[in-house]
Amino acid sequence: MAINLRTHCSTIHGLPWNLIFASTLWYCWKGRNNLVFNDGQQPPVSPQKFIFQFARDWYNANKCSSSKPPRQIISIHWIHPPIGRYKINTYGSCKDSFRHISAGGLIRNSEGDWIKGFAANLGRGTIMEAELWGVFMGLSIAWDEGCRDVILECDSWDAVILIQKPILDSHPLYNLIIDCKEAIGKNWRCEVTHIYREMNASADHMADLGHGLSLGLHVFVSPPTTASNCLVSDSIGRALPRAVLA
């Protein structure tokens, strides 16, 4: 068996022999389990085509591509919200092997003025928990502040999709996701959108600040002095490079 699994020579089907051999073993094991656990389900009389098709699909799905899609460098920066609207930027952070998580964010008006900010030490958890808590806290603070026309920006594509798409109640973060959806669905104009991380530096800084704070939510009426560089860069539209698909 070991010799067969180490043999990489191609077969007449253009597939490595060790892949054909492993696929055959897998097929035999699967057929045995179907026979025992699925009321005596019999395998096909001629299993060769099933084995080769499985091996072909696996090979095509895992082979390395010699060419990478072309990319180009663009310059991006934080963009002020339109007049009369407020922008909420949020960020979730997870550090070290102990999974310490935090969230942070800020609310600004069309002039880029600080309305409120927040940082939260969330203890231990997953990065998705941190991202979703950031979204929920940012929306809640904006609502309590009286903002009724907001754009929330988050650089986690997965978090944005979870908030915007239907969610099964079996999802481990179902309650938190529903809280975010209900916050968005209040009687206000609320738009949630994904942005690149380079456009989210101020929220990133607030989340990083949360790691050094006591457990829980901390609201900042005025910006912390450590965030001044990020805020100035955002205000003047200082651009950063980003590689994107051409």
PDB file of all heavy atoms in Angstrom, residues 154-190:
ATOM      1  N   CYS A 154     -17.529  48.412   6.906  1.00  0.00           N
ATOM      2  CA  CYS A 154     -16.827  47.331   7.603  1.00  0.00           C
ATOM      3  C   CYS A 154     -15.920  46.645   6.588  1.00  0.00           C
ATOM      4  O   CYS A 154     -16.330  46.418   5.444  1.00  0.00           O
ATOM      5  CB  CYS A 154     -17.849  46.344   8.181  1.00  0.00           C
ATOM      6  SG  CYS A 154     -17.147  44.848   8.914  1.00  0.00           S
ATOM      7  N   ASP A 155     -14.690  46.326   6.977  1.00  0.00           N
ATOM      8  CA  ASP A 155     -13.784  45.702   6.006  1.00  0.00           C
ATOM      9  C   ASP A 155     -13.811  44.169   6.064  1.00  0.00           C
ATOM     10  O   ASP A 155     -12.977  43.514   5.435  1.00  0.00           O
ATOM     11  CB  ASP A 155     -12.360  46.225   6.159  1.00  0.00           C
ATOM     12  CG  ASP A 155     -11.748  45.937   7.522  1.00  0.00           C
ATOM     13  OD1 ASP A 155     -12.050  44.884   8.097  1.00  0.00           O
ATOM     14  OD2 ASP A 155     -10.969  46.772   8.013  1.00  0.00           O
ATOM     15  N   SER A 156     -14.775  43.617   6.791  1.00  0.00           N
ATOM     16  CA  SER A 156     -14.953  42.160   6.797  1.00  0.00           C
ATOM     17  C   SER A 156     -16.083  41.797   5.840  1.00  0.00           C
ATOM     18  O   SER A 156     -17.260  42.031   6.134  1.00  0.00           O
ATOM     19  CB  SER A 156     -15.283  41.652   8.210  1.00  0.00           C
ATOM     20  OG  SER A 156     -15.680  40.293   8.166  1.00  0.00           O
ATOM     21  N   TRP A 157     -15.708  41.243   4.697  1.00  0.00           N
ATOM     22  CA  TRP A 157     -16.713  40.850   3.714  1.00  0.00           C
ATOM     23  C   TRP A 157     -17.661  39.795   4.285  1.00  0.00           C
ATOM     24  O   TRP A 157     -18.869  39.839   4.057  1.00  0.00           O
ATOM     25  CB  TRP A 157     -16.013  40.318   2.461  1.00  0.00           C
ATOM     26  CG  TRP A 157     -16.942  39.790   1.418  1.00  0.00           C
ATOM     27  CD1 TRP A 157     -17.200  38.490   1.114  1.00  0.00           C
ATOM     28  CD2 TRP A 157     -17.767  40.565   0.537  1.00  0.00           C
ATOM     29  NE1 TRP A 157     -18.125  38.407   0.114  1.00  0.00           N
ATOM     30  CE2 TRP A 157     -18.483  39.659  -0.273  1.00  0.00           C
ATOM     31  CE3 TRP A 157     -17.958  41.937   0.357  1.00  0.00           C
ATOM     32  CZ2 TRP A 157     -19.388  40.080  -1.248  1.00  0.00           C
ATOM     33  CZ3 TRP A 157     -18.858  42.361  -0.627  1.00  0.00           C
ATOM     34  CH2 TRP A 157     -19.553  41.442  -1.408  1.00  0.00           C
ATOM     35  N   ASP A 158     -17.121  38.851   5.040  1.00  0.00           N
ATOM     36  CA  ASP A 158     -17.951  37.788   5.609  1.00  0.00           C
ATOM     37  C   ASP A 158     -18.996  38.357   6.571  1.00  0.00           C
ATOM     38  O   ASP A 158     -20.139  37.904   6.598  1.00  0.00           O
ATOM     39  CB  ASP A 158     -17.078  36.766   6.336  1.00  0.00           C
ATOM     40  CG  ASP A 158     -16.214  35.951   5.384  1.00  0.00           C
ATOM     41  OD1 ASP A 158     -16.594  35.837   4.205  1.00  0.00           O
ATOM     42  OD2 ASP A 158     -15.169  35.441   5.808  1.00  0.00           O
ATOM     43  N   ALA A 159     -18.596  39.336   7.390  1.00  0.00           N
ATOM     44  CA  ALA A 159     -19.539  39.938   8.333  1.00  0.00           C
ATOM     45  C   ALA A 159     -20.652  40.658   7.592  1.00  0.00           C
ATOM     46  O   ALA A 159     -21.833  40.566   7.955  1.00  0.00           O
ATOM     47  CB  ALA A 159     -18.811  40.906   9.265  1.00  0.00           C
ATOM     48  N   VAL A 160     -20.302  41.383   6.533  1.00  0.00           N
ATOM     49  CA  VAL A 160     -21.311  42.112   5.756  1.00  0.00           C
ATOM     50  C   VAL A 160     -22.312  41.138   5.130  1.00  0.00           C
ATOM     51  O   VAL A 160     -23.521  41.369   5.151  1.00  0.00           O
ATOM     52  CB  VAL A 160     -20.628  42.971   4.666  1.00  0.00           C
ATOM     53  CG1 VAL A 160     -21.664  43.559   3.701  1.00  0.00           C
ATOM     54  CG2 VAL A 160     -19.815  44.087   5.310  1.00  0.00           C
ATOM     55  N   ILE A 161     -21.805  40.018   4.600  1.00  0.00           N
ATOM     56  CA  ILE A 161     -22.688  39.024   3.986  1.00  0.00           C
ATOM     57  C   ILE A 161     -23.620  38.413   5.034  1.00  0.00           C
ATOM     58  O   ILE A 161     -24.820  38.228   4.791  1.00  0.00           O
ATOM     59  CB  ILE A 161     -21.859  37.925   3.297  1.00  0.00           C
ATOM     60  CG1 ILE A 161     -21.136  38.499   2.078  1.00  0.00           C
ATOM     61  CG2 ILE A 161     -22.750  36.761   2.882  1.00  0.00           C
ATOM     62  CD1 ILE A 161     -22.044  39.058   1.022  1.00  0.00           C
ATOM     63  N   LEU A 162     -23.092  38.086   6.208  1.00  0.00           N
ATOM     64  CA  LEU A 162     -23.925  37.516   7.273  1.00  0.00           C
ATOM     65  C   LEU A 162     -25.058  38.463   7.658  1.00  0.00           C
ATOM     66  O   LEU A 162     -26.177  38.027   7.945  1.00  0.00           O
ATOM     67  CB  LEU A 162     -23.079  37.204   8.502  1.00  0.00           C
ATOM     68  CG  LEU A 162     -22.207  35.954   8.441  1.00  0.00           C
ATOM     69  CD1 LEU A 162     -21.336  35.860   9.696  1.00  0.00           C
ATOM     70  CD2 LEU A 162     -23.059  34.700   8.307  1.00  0.00           C
ATOM     71  N   ILE A 163     -24.782  39.756   7.651  1.00  0.00           N
ATOM     72  CA  ILE A 163     -25.788  40.739   8.045  1.00  0.00           C
ATOM     73  C   ILE A 163     -26.834  40.928   6.948  1.00  0.00           C
ATOM     74  O   ILE A 163     -28.019  41.101   7.237  1.00  0.00           O
ATOM     75  CB  ILE A 163     -25.102  42.088   8.364  1.00  0.00           C
ATOM     76  CG1 ILE A 163     -24.229  41.949   9.607  1.00  0.00           C
ATOM     77  CG2 ILE A 163     -26.130  43.194   8.563  1.00  0.00           C
ATOM     78  CD1 ILE A 163     -23.290  43.114   9.812  1.00  0.00           C
ATOM     79  N   GLN A 164     -26.414  40.860   5.710  1.00  0.00           N
ATOM     80  CA  GLN A 164     -27.303  41.196   4.604  1.00  0.00           C
ATOM     81  C   GLN A 164     -28.124  40.014   4.096  1.00  0.00           C
ATOM     82  O   GLN A 164     -29.198  40.206   3.525  1.00  0.00           O
ATOM     83  CB  GLN A 164     -26.489  41.791   3.449  1.00  0.00           C
ATOM     84  CG  GLN A 164     -25.879  43.145   3.767  1.00  0.00           C
ATOM     85  CD  GLN A 164     -25.077  43.711   2.609  1.00  0.00           C
ATOM     86  OE1 GLN A 164     -24.641  42.979   1.717  1.00  0.00           O
ATOM     87  NE2 GLN A 164     -24.878  45.013   2.609  1.00  0.00           N
ATOM     88  N   LYS A 165     -27.628  38.793   4.284  1.00  0.00           N
ATOM     89  CA  LYS A 165     -28.313  37.619   3.750  1.00  0.00           C
ATOM     90  C   LYS A 165     -29.137  36.918   4.838  1.00  0.00           C
ATOM     91  O   LYS A 165     -28.895  37.107   6.031  1.00  0.00           O
ATOM     92  CB  LYS A 165     -27.280  36.633   3.178  1.00  0.00           C
ATOM     93  CG  LYS A 165     -26.414  37.204   2.063  1.00  0.00           C
ATOM     94  CD  LYS A 165     -27.236  37.547   0.838  1.00  0.00           C
ATOM     95  CE  LYS A 165     -26.330  38.034  -0.302  1.00  0.00           C
ATOM     96  NZ  LYS A 165     -27.084  38.398  -1.500  1.00  0.00           N
ATOM     97  N   PRO A 166     -30.122  36.086   4.436  1.00  0.00           N
ATOM     98  CA  PRO A 166     -30.879  35.302   5.427  1.00  0.00           C
ATOM     99  C   PRO A 166     -29.933  34.402   6.214  1.00  0.00           C
ATOM    100  O   PRO A 166     -28.906  33.944   5.696  1.00  0.00           O
ATOM    101  CB  PRO A 166     -31.839  34.479   4.558  1.00  0.00           C
ATOM    102  CG  PRO A 166     -31.972  35.260   3.292  1.00  0.00           C
ATOM    103  CD  PRO A 166     -30.636  35.903   3.064  1.00  0.00           C
ATOM    104  N   ILE A 167     -30.290  34.157   7.472  1.00  0.00           N
ATOM    105  CA  ILE A 167     -29.421  33.373   8.349  1.00  0.00           C
ATOM    106  C   ILE A 167     -30.209  32.249   9.003  1.00  0.00           C
ATOM    107  O   ILE A 167     -31.355  32.429   9.420  1.00  0.00           O
ATOM    108  CB  ILE A 167     -28.769  34.283   9.429  1.00  0.00           C
ATOM    109  CG1 ILE A 167     -27.712  33.526  10.222  1.00  0.00           C
ATOM    110  CG2 ILE A 167     -29.821  34.898  10.334  1.00  0.00           C
ATOM    111  CD1 ILE A 167     -26.464  33.254   9.434  1.00  0.00           C
ATOM    112  N   LEU A 168     -29.606  31.065   9.090  1.00  0.00           N
ATOM    113  CA  LEU A 168     -30.260  29.932   9.745  1.00  0.00           C
ATOM    114  C   LEU A 168     -30.128  30.073  11.258  1.00  0.00           C
ATOM    115  O   LEU A 168     -29.106  30.540  11.768  1.00  0.00           O
ATOM    116  CB  LEU A 168     -29.620  28.619   9.289  1.00  0.00           C
ATOM    117  CG  LEU A 168     -29.734  28.270   7.795  1.00  0.00           C
ATOM    118  CD1 LEU A 168     -28.944  27.002   7.494  1.00  0.00           C
ATOM    119  CD2 LEU A 168     -31.195  28.092   7.400  1.00  0.00           C
ATOM    120  N   ASP A 169     -31.166  29.633  11.979  1.00  0.00           N
ATOM    121  CA  ASP A 169     -31.115  29.743  13.438  1.00  0.00           C
ATOM    122  C   ASP A 169     -30.120  28.776  14.063  1.00  0.00           C
ATOM    123  O   ASP A 169     -29.855  28.829  15.262  1.00  0.00           O
ATOM    124  CB  ASP A 169     -32.498  29.557  14.049  1.00  0.00           C
ATOM    125  CG  ASP A 169     -33.141  28.217  13.689  1.00  0.00           C
ATOM    126  OD1 ASP A 169     -32.437  27.353  13.124  1.00  0.00           O
ATOM    127  OD2 ASP A 169     -34.341  28.047  13.961  1.00  0.00           O
ATOM    128  N   SER A 170     -29.536  27.896  13.241  1.00  0.00           N
ATOM    129  CA  SER A 170     -28.506  26.983  13.737  1.00  0.00           C
ATOM    130  C   SER A 170     -27.118  27.619  13.733  1.00  0.00           C
ATOM    131  O   SER A 170     -26.160  27.030  14.239  1.00  0.00           O
ATOM    132  CB  SER A 170     -28.481  25.704  12.886  1.00  0.00           C
ATOM    133  OG  SER A 170     -28.236  26.007  11.520  1.00  0.00           O
ATOM    134  N   HIS A 171     -26.993  28.804  13.167  1.00  0.00           N
ATOM    135  CA  HIS A 171     -25.687  29.473  13.114  1.00  0.00           C
ATOM    136  C   HIS A 171     -25.233  29.800  14.535  1.00  0.00           C
ATOM    137  O   HIS A 171     -26.024  30.288  15.346  1.00  0.00           O
ATOM    138  CB  HIS A 171     -25.779  30.763  12.287  1.00  0.00           C
ATOM    139  CG  HIS A 171     -24.450  31.325  11.908  1.00  0.00           C
ATOM    140  ND1 HIS A 171     -23.646  32.004  12.801  1.00  0.00           N
ATOM    141  CD2 HIS A 171     -23.767  31.308  10.734  1.00  0.00           C
ATOM    142  CE1 HIS A 171     -22.544  32.378  12.191  1.00  0.00           C
ATOM    143  NE2 HIS A 171     -22.586  31.982  10.941  1.00  0.00           N
ATOM    144  N   PRO A 172     -23.967  29.547  14.872  1.00  0.00           N
ATOM    145  CA  PRO A 172     -23.499  29.780  16.250  1.00  0.00           C
ATOM    146  C   PRO A 172     -23.584  31.239  16.692  1.00  0.00           C
ATOM    147  O   PRO A 172     -23.632  31.514  17.896  1.00  0.00           O
ATOM    148  CB  PRO A 172     -22.040  29.298  16.224  1.00  0.00           C
ATOM    149  CG  PRO A 172     -21.670  29.269  14.773  1.00  0.00           C
ATOM    150  CD  PRO A 172     -22.919  28.948  14.028  1.00  0.00           C
ATOM    151  N   LEU A 173     -23.616  32.176  15.754  1.00  0.00           N
ATOM    152  CA  LEU A 173     -23.712  33.598  16.104  1.00  0.00           C
ATOM    153  C   LEU A 173     -25.078  34.169  15.709  1.00  0.00           C
ATOM    154  O   LEU A 173     -25.213  35.374  15.483  1.00  0.00           O
ATOM    155  CB  LEU A 173     -22.592  34.387  15.412  1.00  0.00           C
ATOM    156  CG  LEU A 173     -21.167  33.980  15.784  1.00  0.00           C
ATOM    157  CD1 LEU A 173     -20.155  34.785  14.983  1.00  0.00           C
ATOM    158  CD2 LEU A 173     -20.926  34.159  17.281  1.00  0.00           C
ATOM    159  N   TYR A 174     -26.070  33.305  15.683  1.00  0.00           N
ATOM    160  CA  TYR A 174     -27.410  33.701  15.212  1.00  0.00           C
ATOM    161  C   TYR A 174     -27.959  34.907  15.974  1.00  0.00           C
ATOM    162  O   TYR A 174     -28.427  35.879  15.373  1.00  0.00           O
ATOM    163  CB  TYR A 174     -28.364  32.518  15.349  1.00  0.00           C
ATOM    164  CG  TYR A 174     -29.802  32.844  15.007  1.00  0.00           C
ATOM    165  CD1 TYR A 174     -30.222  32.910  13.678  1.00  0.00           C
ATOM    166  CD2 TYR A 174     -30.744  33.084  16.007  1.00  0.00           C
ATOM    167  CE1 TYR A 174     -31.541  33.210  13.368  1.00  0.00           C
ATOM    168  CE2 TYR A 174     -32.060  33.387  15.697  1.00  0.00           C
ATOM    169  CZ  TYR A 174     -32.455  33.445  14.381  1.00  0.00           C
ATOM    170  OH  TYR A 174     -33.747  33.754  14.078  1.00  0.00           O
ATOM    171  N   ASN A 175     -27.905  34.871  17.298  1.00  0.00           N
ATOM    172  CA  ASN A 175     -28.500  35.956  18.094  1.00  0.00           C
ATOM    173  C   ASN A 175     -27.817  37.297  17.831  1.00  0.00           C
ATOM    174  O   ASN A 175     -28.477  38.338  17.712  1.00  0.00           O
ATOM    175  CB  ASN A 175     -28.439  35.623  19.592  1.00  0.00           C
ATOM    176  CG  ASN A 175     -29.375  34.500  19.973  1.00  0.00           C
ATOM    177  OD1 ASN A 175     -30.406  34.300  19.328  1.00  0.00           O
ATOM    178  ND2 ASN A 175     -29.033  33.758  21.007  1.00  0.00           N
ATOM    179  N   LEU A 176     -26.488  37.281  17.725  1.00  0.00           N
ATOM    180  CA  LEU A 176     -25.753  38.511  17.470  1.00  0.00           C
ATOM    181  C   LEU A 176     -26.057  39.046  16.067  1.00  0.00           C
ATOM    182  O   LEU A 176     -26.208  40.259  15.868  1.00  0.00           O
ATOM    183  CB  LEU A 176     -24.256  38.256  17.638  1.00  0.00           C
ATOM    184  CG  LEU A 176     -23.306  39.441  17.449  1.00  0.00           C
ATOM    185  CD1 LEU A 176     -23.727  40.621  18.316  1.00  0.00           C
ATOM    186  CD2 LEU A 176     -21.881  39.026  17.760  1.00  0.00           C
ATOM    187  N   ILE A 177     -26.155  38.147  15.104  1.00  0.00           N
ATOM    188  CA  ILE A 177     -26.490  38.558  13.736  1.00  0.00           C
ATOM    189  C   ILE A 177     -27.890  39.161  13.683  1.00  0.00           C
ATOM    190  O   ILE A 177     -28.114  40.191  13.034  1.00  0.00           O
ATOM    191  CB  ILE A 177     -26.371  37.355  12.774  1.00  0.00           C
ATOM    192  CG1 ILE A 177     -24.918  36.871  12.718  1.00  0.00           C
ATOM    193  CG2 ILE A 177     -26.864  37.723  11.380  1.00  0.00           C
ATOM    194  CD1 ILE A 177     -24.742  35.538  12.021  1.00  0.00           C
ATOM    195  N   ILE A 178     -28.831  38.548  14.387  1.00  0.00           N
ATOM    196  CA  ILE A 178     -30.194  39.076  14.427  1.00  0.00           C
ATOM    197  C   ILE A 178     -30.217  40.453  15.092  1.00  0.00           C
ATOM    198  O   ILE A 178     -30.943  41.366  14.662  1.00  0.00           O
ATOM    199  CB  ILE A 178     -31.136  38.101  15.160  1.00  0.00           C
ATOM    200  CG1 ILE A 178     -31.332  36.839  14.314  1.00  0.00           C
ATOM    201  CG2 ILE A 178     -32.478  38.745  15.455  1.00  0.00           C
ATOM    202  CD1 ILE A 178     -31.952  37.088  12.949  1.00  0.00           C
ATOM    203  N   ASP A 179     -29.415  40.633  16.136  1.00  0.00           N
ATOM    204  CA  ASP A 179     -29.333  41.953  16.781  1.00  0.00           C
ATOM    205  C   ASP A 179     -28.863  43.006  15.778  1.00  0.00           C
ATOM    206  O   ASP A 179     -29.382  44.130  15.751  1.00  0.00           O
ATOM    207  CB  ASP A 179     -28.376  41.897  17.974  1.00  0.00           C
ATOM    208  CG  ASP A 179     -28.969  41.171  19.172  1.00  0.00           C
ATOM    209  OD1 ASP A 179     -30.204  41.020  19.224  1.00  0.00           O
ATOM    210  OD2 ASP A 179     -28.193  40.761  20.056  1.00  0.00           O
ATOM    211  N   CYS A 180     -27.885  42.652  14.955  1.00  0.00           N
ATOM    212  CA  CYS A 180     -27.394  43.582  13.931  1.00  0.00           C
ATOM    213  C   CYS A 180     -28.484  43.876  12.903  1.00  0.00           C
ATOM    214  O   CYS A 180     -28.692  45.040  12.513  1.00  0.00           O
ATOM    215  CB  CYS A 180     -26.166  43.008  13.231  1.00  0.00           C
ATOM    216  SG  CYS A 180     -24.681  42.882  14.264  1.00  0.00           S
ATOM    217  N   LYS A 181     -29.185  42.851  12.472  1.00  0.00           N
ATOM    218  CA  LYS A 181     -30.252  43.039  11.493  1.00  0.00           C
ATOM    219  C   LYS A 181     -31.368  43.921  12.050  1.00  0.00           C
ATOM    220  O   LYS A 181     -31.912  44.792  11.350  1.00  0.00           O
ATOM    221  CB  LYS A 181     -30.827  41.673  11.077  1.00  0.00           C
ATOM    222  CG  LYS A 181     -29.906  40.835  10.202  1.00  0.00           C
ATOM    223  CD  LYS A 181     -30.542  39.483   9.915  1.00  0.00           C
ATOM    224  CE  LYS A 181     -29.717  38.643   8.958  1.00  0.00           C
ATOM    225  NZ  LYS A 181     -29.771  39.148   7.575  1.00  0.00           N
ATOM    226  N   GLU A 182     -31.728  43.712  13.305  1.00  0.00           N
ATOM    227  CA  GLU A 182     -32.781  44.520  13.910  1.00  0.00           C
ATOM    228  C   GLU A 182     -32.338  45.972  14.079  1.00  0.00           C
ATOM    229  O   GLU A 182     -33.143  46.898  13.911  1.00  0.00           O
ATOM    230  CB  GLU A 182     -33.182  43.918  15.259  1.00  0.00           C
ATOM    231  CG  GLU A 182     -33.928  42.593  15.124  1.00  0.00           C
ATOM    232  CD  GLU A 182     -34.295  41.990  16.466  1.00  0.00           C
ATOM    233  OE1 GLU A 182     -33.784  42.491  17.506  1.00  0.00           O
ATOM    234  OE2 GLU A 182     -35.077  41.015  16.478  1.00  0.00           O
ATOM    235  N   ALA A 183     -31.067  46.175  14.387  1.00  0.00           N
ATOM    236  CA  ALA A 183     -30.545  47.547  14.499  1.00  0.00           C
ATOM    237  C   ALA A 183     -30.613  48.248  13.142  1.00  0.00           C
ATOM    238  O   ALA A 183     -30.990  49.423  13.055  1.00  0.00           O
ATOM    239  CB  ALA A 183     -29.122  47.527  15.032  1.00  0.00           C
ATOM    240  N   ILE A 184     -30.254  47.522  12.092  1.00  0.00           N
ATOM    241  CA  ILE A 184     -30.315  48.106  10.746  1.00  0.00           C
ATOM    242  C   ILE A 184     -31.756  48.407  10.350  1.00  0.00           C
ATOM    243  O   ILE A 184     -32.027  49.407   9.675  1.00  0.00           O
ATOM    244  CB  ILE A 184     -29.671  47.136   9.734  1.00  0.00           C
ATOM    245  CG1 ILE A 184     -28.172  46.995  10.016  1.00  0.00           C
ATOM    246  CG2 ILE A 184     -29.901  47.586   8.296  1.00  0.00           C
ATOM    247  CD1 ILE A 184     -27.507  45.860   9.267  1.00  0.00           C
ATOM    248  N   GLY A 185     -32.675  47.568  10.792  1.00  0.00           N
ATOM    249  CA  GLY A 185     -34.076  47.695  10.392  1.00  0.00           C
ATOM    250  C   GLY A 185     -34.884  48.718  11.165  1.00  0.00           C
ATOM    251  O   GLY A 185     -36.096  48.829  10.964  1.00  0.00           O
ATOM    252  N   LYS A 186     -34.258  49.484  12.044  1.00  0.00           N
ATOM    253  CA  LYS A 186     -34.982  50.521  12.786  1.00  0.00           C
ATOM    254  C   LYS A 186     -35.470  51.616  11.837  1.00  0.00           C
ATOM    255  O   LYS A 186     -35.138  51.631  10.645  1.00  0.00           O
ATOM    256  CB  LYS A 186     -34.078  51.112  13.872  1.00  0.00           C
ATOM    257  CG  LYS A 186     -33.800  50.166  15.030  1.00  0.00           C
ATOM    258  CD  LYS A 186     -32.918  50.830  16.072  1.00  0.00           C
ATOM    259  CE  LYS A 186     -32.652  49.907  17.262  1.00  0.00           C
ATOM    260  NZ  LYS A 186     -31.777  50.551  18.276  1.00  0.00           N
ATOM    261  N   ASN A 187     -36.209  52.550  12.369  1.00  0.00           N
ATOM    262  CA  ASN A 187     -36.794  53.614  11.564  1.00  0.00           C
ATOM    263  C   ASN A 187     -35.748  54.680  11.233  1.00  0.00           C
ATOM    264  O   ASN A 187     -35.766  55.793  11.776  1.00  0.00           O
ATOM    265  CB  ASN A 187     -37.982  54.228  12.304  1.00  0.00           C
ATOM    266  CG  ASN A 187     -38.735  55.233  11.449  1.00  0.00           C
ATOM    267  OD1 ASN A 187     -38.716  55.145  10.216  1.00  0.00           O
ATOM    268  ND2 ASN A 187     -39.377  56.192  12.094  1.00  0.00           N
ATOM    269  N   TRP A 188     -34.834  54.303  10.365  1.00  0.00           N
ATOM    270  CA  TRP A 188     -33.802  55.226   9.907  1.00  0.00           C
ATOM    271  C   TRP A 188     -33.274  54.751   8.568  1.00  0.00           C
ATOM    272  O   TRP A 188     -33.608  53.657   8.102  1.00  0.00           O
ATOM    273  CB  TRP A 188     -32.679  55.376  10.925  1.00  0.00           C
ATOM    274  CG  TRP A 188     -31.883  54.117  11.246  1.00  0.00           C
ATOM    275  CD1 TRP A 188     -32.199  52.820  10.913  1.00  0.00           C
ATOM    276  CD2 TRP A 188     -30.637  54.045  11.954  1.00  0.00           C
ATOM    277  NE1 TRP A 188     -31.246  51.961  11.400  1.00  0.00           N
ATOM    278  CE2 TRP A 188     -30.265  52.682  12.027  1.00  0.00           C
ATOM    279  CE3 TRP A 188     -29.803  54.987  12.527  1.00  0.00           C
ATOM    280  CZ2 TRP A 188     -29.113  52.249  12.656  1.00  0.00           C
ATOM    281  CZ3 TRP A 188     -28.641  54.556  13.152  1.00  0.00           C
ATOM    282  CH2 TRP A 188     -28.298  53.207  13.218  1.00  0.00           C
ATOM    283  N   ARG A 189     -32.502  55.585   7.933  1.00  0.00           N
ATOM    284  CA  ARG A 189     -31.837  55.201   6.694  1.00  0.00           C
ATOM    285  C   ARG A 189     -30.471  54.668   7.060  1.00  0.00           C
ATOM    286  O   ARG A 189     -29.610  55.410   7.543  1.00  0.00           O
ATOM    287  CB  ARG A 189     -31.719  56.411   5.756  1.00  0.00           C
ATOM    288  CG  ARG A 189     -31.113  56.083   4.396  1.00  0.00           C
ATOM    289  CD  ARG A 189     -30.947  57.367   3.589  1.00  0.00           C
ATOM    290  NE  ARG A 189     -30.365  57.121   2.283  1.00  0.00           N
ATOM    291  CZ  ARG A 189     -29.909  58.077   1.474  1.00  0.00           C
ATOM    292  NH1 ARG A 189     -29.991  59.353   1.865  1.00  0.00           N
ATOM    293  NH2 ARG A 189     -29.396  57.782   0.298  1.00  0.00           N
ATOM    294  N   CYS A 190     -30.252  53.387   6.819  1.00  0.00           N
ATOM    295  CA  CYS A 190     -29.014  52.729   7.243  1.00  0.00           C
ATOM    296  C   CYS A 190     -28.499  51.849   6.111  1.00  0.00           C
ATOM    297  O   CYS A 190     -29.170  50.906   5.693  1.00  0.00           O
ATOM    298  CB  CYS A 190     -29.254  51.897   8.500  1.00  0.00           C
ATOM    299  SG  CYS A 190     -27.774  51.055   9.115  1.00  0.00           S
TER     300      CYS A 190
END
